[in-house]
Amino acid sequence: MASGSGLKRSDSIADMMPEALRQSRYQMKRCFSRYVSKGRRLMKKQQLMEELEKSTDDKLDKDKLAQGFLGYVISSTQEAVVLPPFVAFAVRMNPGVWEYIKVHSADLSVEQITPSDYLKWKETLYDEEWAHDDNSLEVDFGALDLSMPHLTLPSSIGNGMQFVSRFMSSKLSDKPEKLKPLLDYLLALNYRGEWFQEWGLEKGWGDSAEACRETLNCLSEVLQASDPINMEKFFSRVPSVFNIVIFSIHGYFGQEKVLGMPDTGGQVVYILDQVRALEEEMLQRIRQQGLNVTPKILVLTRLIPEAKGTKCNVELEPIEDTKHSSILRVPFKTEDGNDLHHWVSRFDIYPYLERYAEDSSAKILDILQGKPDLVIGNYTDGNLVASLVSTKLGVTQGTIAHALEKTKYEDSDVKWREMDQKYHFSCQFTADMIAMNTSDFIIASTYQEIAGSKEKPGQYESHYAFTMPGLCRFAIGINVFDPKFNIAAPGADQSVYFPFTQKQKRLTDLHPQIEELVYSKEENDEHIGYLEDRGKPIIFSMARLDKVKNITGLVEWYGQNKRLRDLVNLVVVGGLLDPSQSKDREEIEEINKMHSLIDKYQLKGQMRWIKAQTDRVRNGELYRCIADTKGAFVQPALYEAFGLTVIEAMNCGLPTFATNQGGPAEIIVNEVSGFHINPLAGMEASNKIAEFFQKCKEDPMYWNKMSTAGLQRIYECYTWQIYATRVLNMGSMYGFWRTLNKEERQAKQRYLQMFYNLQFRKLAKTLAKQGEQLAAKSTMPDRIVPRPKERRTQTRIQRIASNLLGPVLPASNLSTDAA
């Protein structure tokens, strides 16, 4: 393994590499000769390492090269552009830390180049004329953040709130007059324009004398001797977030009968659990603040008249197990202003989003009778709309990606033209860039989602510098050292997903249904295949049926591994069983592939394929029934941003095998609380699963040990209460953070607005609105259920002043644009 010992982050590879090349000049000339021998091409890390190894026949020389500085540099290179006689390297020495260098293959001269120069070289392979055009569109969002403080250490990425707290502490404690922005912000806080004074203190300091004293002490410490801990503690007590709007637009968003529908999966579960946790935390804080305020959370999604038996045609729907939270559905509009009746794929959604944002803003202001305090987007479409709405209303914005499609499809940026008709990545990647850069804070579930691992960039990091030749070059897209990045890991609903050992809570009345679902030999439109030997443990997987989730990959691993087939049965839940019933392009391909694999490996008798299940309560008991067989859960995704099903399975006590590509690699401590598997090495993964079950067969206590360790990991790190506390703290702290550096923020906002108007709108307009002709011919939609009219209450604004602080800003609504 190559080593970079002694290399500091401040060291330049371009400065150090010439000497290293000189010391191994003969071998390196041979190596670079091999690199350029096949002409122009894009080389990935594995290819670079293979050519390095082939550059010498001597084993000692091979080891010396691999273990030396050059081996370390090349093993840290994500890709290289070969344009003979030059080779340009994109080197990633640490997460988030990139350097671009150009080496001449003949004389081995080395030159450092900019990200923009590297991208132009890369573009030459795909669109040479555009690459050499001085007027090609180049966007550099980093140029607008020059005075913005950034984190410096890779290990600190994702700790944005702590960094902001430290920075504000140092800035506010510098000079007394610098406290004025904080005091003005605090005095401007209000709810619907009203403040009430009692006993000389504003409401919001606390619900008791002791609570008021604690809050006053926090403020005193911030004003007199500010430090990061006091700053974060104080903002957690500031009454600033009462109304939250959450956007989740694509798919069928609902509380029942939606899971497994096109584009509808874990994101829905995540948001509903998120809302319950946020409302509970908000209510607790409001009580502790001594306020008589009713918080509201609205989940904005699309109203779909052709609801397919769901409630997606109901405009306003209360969220179960909450008191003040609702789903608000707003329809897409066709070009002639009519409601669009049918579902639209998440890849075809972009032409509708601008009008949707306008209509949503009006609905939000009507229902909340004012602006929200925090807007949170989900996925590309929800994040773009959240950006438009938060900019329009001047409120704090949070962003949650869930999955960034650019990382799912290799080279989907440079090969966007090949994929655009199917996926419309030109719109999606542009929208992602706008949302990331508009947002005040970004919520990630794991470190890997942001900055990946030592070996592989994270989802967000892959947007640092990239290009779509012929369309746009992002010299700097998003920098993962930006303090807007934060990690807040979700949990699972522990009233639904609880350990199989809690016998008194088990839902035994569901067991006959689950028995039929898993074990009956009948084949129908809900399940096919059967399990001949019921005595075997079951390996179980549940996910959407698409390429990235890789359920068909798991089936193929199982089919190819005789030892695994002898040890266990396989049960998978996902998608539809009949391709003619699906409208999703990828799902249709995967359905056909699944049938082919079942026939190819003759899996009937050892495998059960169950169509997507929408009943969460029954799914929870299904996990536990799999645990009863001493089985295991397998999550084989090619990439998974987080992995809610991993959390669910571990909550139920199932030993879990999960992809090492993405969030599950952080959830599971390998071979301690579960197992990592490489989805690109199917035989290795299936052998690892087989070895586990062989060991359990020899030592039954081993299964119990892994089950218990998984549960312990969940209880320590992954609960919704921890999540809600962090997100509300972000809303409060970044609400103040966005009021600082107003001029720079305004400049960036104007830049983003121009980019949106000139680039995204043009792309969205060229994307044909899918199926509007079909909509005109469609049958009558399900009845649209309107929301009941609400009684509008009056508000009043009461100005406040302070005898102690001198001149202050007049009280104003917190949501007034501070940018």
Side-chain angles (χ1 to χ4, degrees):
M1 180 64 69
S3 171
S5 59
L7 185 67
K8 301 175 184 176
R9 188 185 166 190
S10 58
D11 293 332
S12 167
I13 296 170
D15 292 338
M16 299 178 68
M17 199 165 178
E19 177 62 20
L21 288 169
R22 187 189 65 77
Q23 293 177 4
S24 306
R25 189 171 183 82
Y26 174 72
Q27 292 93 337
M28 294 314 298
K29 288 198 76 168
R30 287 190 63 184
C31 178
F32 275 84
S33 176
R34 295 184 68 90
Y35 286 163
V36 300
S37 63
K38 296 182 181 178
R40 295 182 174 190
R41 56 176 170 158
L42 183 68
M43 298 183 70
K44 300 297 185 179
K45 180 191 296 188
Q46 186 61 35
Q47 296 171 286
L48 293 167
M49 293 301 294
E50 287 172 359
E51 296 292 2
L52 175 65
E53 186 177 348
K54 293 175 183 176
S55 64
T56 179
D57 296 326
D58 186 273
K59 186 178 185 306
L60 289 176
D61 285 343
K62 284 183 180 182
D63 292 343
K64 184 179 178 181
L65 282 174
Q67 297 295 332
F69 176 74
L70 288 172
Y72 180 63
V73 170
I74 293 176
S75 68
S76 299
T77 298
Q78 296 301 310
E79 64 180 24
V81 177
V82 180
L83 294 179
F86 292 99
V87 182
F89 295 87
V91 187
R92 178 181 179 265
M93 305 301 286
N94 284 295
V97 182
W98 292 80
E99 187 172 345
Y100 302 89
I101 56 173
K102 180 175 69 173
V103 180
H104 194 290
S105 61
D107 61 21
L108 300 183
S109 59
V110 181
E111 178 186 347
Q112 188 171 39
I113 58 177
T114 65
S116 175
D117 290 336
Y118 175 80
L119 294 175
K120 289 175 184 177
W121 275 59
K122 190 173 180 179
E123 291 158 5
T124 302
L125 302 176
Y126 301 93
D127 191 334
E128 187 167 2
E129 182 179 351
W130 193 82
H132 294 153
D133 185 349
D134 291 337
N135 296 314
S136 296
L137 177 61
E138 179 172 304
V139 176
D140 184 353
F141 289 117
L144 299 167
D145 289 329
L146 295 179
S147 65
M148 177 68 69
H150 282 70
L151 296 91
T152 55
L153 298 175
S155 59
S156 66
I157 292 171
N159 294 320
M161 190 162 56
Q162 292 91 322
F163 177 85
V164 166
S165 182
R166 287 196 302 272
F167 180 81
M168 290 195 303
S169 297
S170 63
K171 187 169 183 177
L172 295 176
S173 62
D174 187 15
K175 294 178 181 179
E177 58 267 26
K178 291 190 176 180
L179 291 170
K180 191 173 186 299
L182 175 61
L183 299 176
D184 289 339
Y185 170 77
L186 295 175
L187 289 165
L189 292 176
N190 68 94
Y191 178 69
R192 296 185 180 177
E194 296 193 20
W195 273 104
F196 303 92
Q197 289 180 306
E198 294 179 11
W199 305 297
L201 289 174
E202 303 288 359
K203 277 192 172 182
W205 289 101
D207 62 342
S208 66
E210 178 64 21
C212 288
R213 186 180 68 82
E214 289 178 7
T215 305
L216 285 169
N217 284 340
C218 285
L219 177 59
S220 176
E221 290 170 354
V222 167
L223 296 178
Q224 294 178 36
S226 182
D227 67 63
I229 296 175
N230 289 333
M231 183 69 71
E232 190 169 344
K233 183 178 178 182
F234 174 69
F235 272 97
S236 72
R237 302 175 75 98
V238 170
S240 58
V241 180
F242 303 112
N243 294 326
I244 300 176
V245 169
I246 298 171
F247 283 99
S248 179
I249 301 169
H250 68 265
Y252 291 79
F253 192 99
Q255 300 179 81
E256 57 184 16
K257 300 181 181 179
V258 298
L259 296 181
M261 299 285 277
D263 288 341
T264 308
Q267 182 173 313
V268 173
V269 176
Y270 176 107
I271 293 170
L272 291 173
D273 287 344
Q274 173 197 48
V275 167
R276 296 182 183 103
L278 287 173
E279 183 187 277
E280 184 176 344
E281 180 67 17
M282 287 168 69
L283 288 169
Q284 181 178 335
R285 291 188 179 202
I286 288 168
R287 284 193 298 270
Q288 292 172 346
Q289 291 157 355
L291 294 170
N292 184 22
V293 170
T294 300
K296 280 191 178 180
I297 301 178
L298 291 178
V299 178
L300 269 289
T301 189
R302 188 192 155 203
L303 187 144
I304 308 175
E306 294 178 4
K308 304 293 184 184
T310 71
K311 291 185 178 180
C312 292
N313 60 333
V314 177
E315 184 180 21
L316 193 68
E317 178 187 356
I319 294 177
E320 294 174 5
D321 301 321
T322 69
K323 297 177 181 178
H324 312 292
S325 301
S326 302
I327 300 169
L328 174 61
R329 297 187 177 91
V330 177
F332 283 169
K333 296 290 186 180
T334 62
E335 288 183 344
D336 57 9
N338 295 320
D339 290 353
L340 186 67
H341 289 163
H342 61 275
W343 165 81
V344 177
S345 165
R346 70 185 190 275
F347 296 119
D348 303 328
I349 206 170
Y350 303 102
Y352 304 99
L353 296 183
E354 183 172 312
R355 173 67 182 272
Y356 182 87
E358 294 172 1
D359 294 344
S360 295
S361 294
K363 293 278 188 181
I364 290 165
L365 294 173
D366 178 39
I367 291 178
L368 297 182
Q369 302 174 36
K371 300 176 182 179
D373 304 304
L374 176 62
V375 173
I376 299 175
N378 292 271
Y379 193 70
T380 301
D381 48 7
N383 286 325
L384 181 67
V385 172
S387 298
L388 296 175
V389 171
S390 65
T391 300
K392 178 183 177 68
L393 301 182
V395 298
T396 308
Q397 178 195 349
T399 290
I400 306 173
H402 293 283
L404 292 164
E405 300 291 343
K406 180 176 172 297
T407 58
K408 290 184 178 182
Y409 302 87
E410 188 174 22
D411 296 329
S412 54
D413 48 2
V414 290
K415 297 178 180 178
W416 68 273
R417 282 193 180 97
E418 299 174 19
M419 305 181 183
D420 215 46
Q421 185 173 1
K422 183 175 182 180
Y423 295 116
H424 308 302
F425 286 152
S426 58
C427 283
Q428 183 150 22
F429 299 168
T430 303
D432 284 332
M433 285 292 90
I434 293 169
M436 288 180 204
N437 283 281
T438 302
S439 183
D440 295 296
F441 63 90
I442 295 173
I443 303 169
S445 297
T446 62
Y447 179 93
Q448 285 208 22
E449 185 181 345
I450 306 171
S453 61
K454 178 65 178 172
E455 293 75 28
K456 183 177 180 180
Q459 281 197 77
Y460 283 100
E461 188 186 357
S462 71
H463 294 75
Y464 171 64
F466 70 98
T467 184
M468 293 185 280
L471 184 66
C472 183
R473 176 188 310 122
F474 292 96
I476 300 293
I478 190 71
N479 187 345
V480 294
F481 289 96
D482 193 307
K484 68 174 59 182
F485 283 99
N486 289 274
I487 298 169
D493 185 343
Q494 292 182 340
S495 68
V496 175
Y497 304 103
F498 54 85
F500 75 102
T501 52
Q502 295 183 7
K503 301 295 185 182
Q504 73 281 4
K505 293 177 65 177
R506 293 289 297 270
L507 308 177
T508 54
D509 57 323
L510 295 177
H511 286 188
Q513 297 177 33
I514 294 173
E515 168 80 14
E516 194 280 333
L517 194 67
V518 176
Y519 289 111
S520 77
K521 291 192 175 182
E522 178 187 357
E523 293 193 351
N524 52 38
D525 59 0
E526 190 169 20
H527 45 71
I528 63 173
Y530 61 94
L531 306 180
E532 187 69 49
D533 184 353
R534 294 187 48 160
K536 290 181 182 178
I538 291 173
I539 56 173
F540 177 60
S541 192
M542 180 161 54
R544 286 196 316 275
L545 200 60
D546 62 29
K547 291 179 180 178
V548 175
K549 294 298 184 183
N550 198 33
I551 294 294
T552 54
L554 172 61
V555 172
E556 187 152 27
W557 303 348
Y558 180 78
Q560 292 173 343
N561 194 317
K562 184 180 184 304
R563 181 165 66 129
L564 185 61
R565 292 175 66 169
D566 289 343
L567 286 166
V568 295
N569 290 318
L570 173 64
V571 174
V572 297
V573 176
L576 296 166
L577 309 185
D578 183 351
S580 67
Q581 294 179 0
S582 176
K583 294 182 179 179
D584 185 277
R585 292 183 288 258
E586 274 198 24
E587 185 180 49
I588 291 169
E589 293 176 13
E590 291 298 291
I591 292 170
N592 289 328
K593 183 177 180 181
M594 186 78 87
H595 285 290
S596 174
L597 290 170
I598 291 170
D599 292 341
K600 178 179 179 180
Y601 295 107
Q602 298 180 354
L603 294 177
K604 290 186 178 180
Q606 294 180 300
M607 174 190 165
R608 179 75 138 192
W609 175 19
I610 303 168
K611 84 169 188 178
Q613 299 296 298
T614 61
D615 187 334
R616 291 179 71 206
V617 173
R618 192 171 76 171
N619 286 346
E621 191 60 27
L622 176 57
Y623 280 120
R624 290 184 286 273
C625 288
I626 301 297
D628 290 336
T629 75
K630 300 298 181 183
F633 182 77
V634 181
Q635 206 272 31
L638 300 177
Y639 182 85
E640 184 64 60
F642 180 62
L644 274 176
T645 54
V646 172
I647 296 288
E648 292 169 359
M650 292 171 72
N651 259 294
C652 294
L654 266 176
T656 299
F657 294 78
T659 178
N660 63 3
Q661 302 298 310
E666 286 178 50
I667 297 171
I668 291 173
V669 179
N670 191 33
E671 298 187 8
V672 175
S673 54
F675 302 91
H676 297 165
I677 53 175
N678 182 355
L680 302 178
M683 186 55 69
E684 174 190 298
S686 64
N687 281 333
K688 193 170 188 177
I689 300 168
E691 286 163 10
F692 167 77
F693 282 104
Q694 184 63 45
K695 189 170 183 178
C696 291
K697 194 173 182 179
E698 297 166 1
D699 177 12
M701 293 305 295
Y702 183 63
W703 189 95
N704 293 330
K705 175 185 173 182
M706 295 307 300
S707 172
T708 301
L711 282 165
Q712 183 178 351
R713 176 70 174 168
I714 291 297
Y715 296 151
E716 289 175 353
C717 304
Y718 297 96
T719 71
W720 278 111
Q721 194 276 328
I722 296 171
Y723 174 94
T725 298
R726 285 188 57 78
V727 171
L728 289 179
N729 287 352
M730 290 177 211
S732 182
M733 187 168 288
Y734 285 94
F736 173 59
W737 177 248
R738 72 191 302 272
T739 68
L740 305 177
N741 301 320
K742 292 182 182 179
E743 293 78 10
E744 184 175 295
R745 290 172 185 274
Q746 284 178 331
K748 186 168 186 178
Q749 192 56 54
R750 286 194 292 269
Y751 190 89
L752 285 160
Q753 189 65 45
M754 178 179 67
F755 184 59
Y756 174 86
N757 288 332
L758 298 179
Q759 186 74 350
F760 180 81
R761 292 180 95 185
K762 178 181 67 176
L763 292 169
K765 286 178 181 177
T766 60
L767 197 169
K769 292 189 176 182
Q770 300 292 321
E772 287 195 3
Q773 297 83 0
L774 291 174
K777 299 176 182 178
S778 69
T779 58
M780 288 296 292
D782 301 340
R783 185 173 66 91
I784 298 176
V785 184
R787 66 181 176 90
K789 290 187 177 180
E790 296 184 11
R791 179 175 172 269
R792 185 182 297 276
T793 60
Q794 295 297 313
T795 64
R796 62 188 178 88
I797 300 177
Q798 182 179 33
R799 301 185 62 178
I800 65 171
S802 170
N803 295 324
L804 298 175
L805 300 175
V808 297
L809 291 177
S812 59
N813 192 300
L814 168 63
S815 297
T816 299
D817 193 356

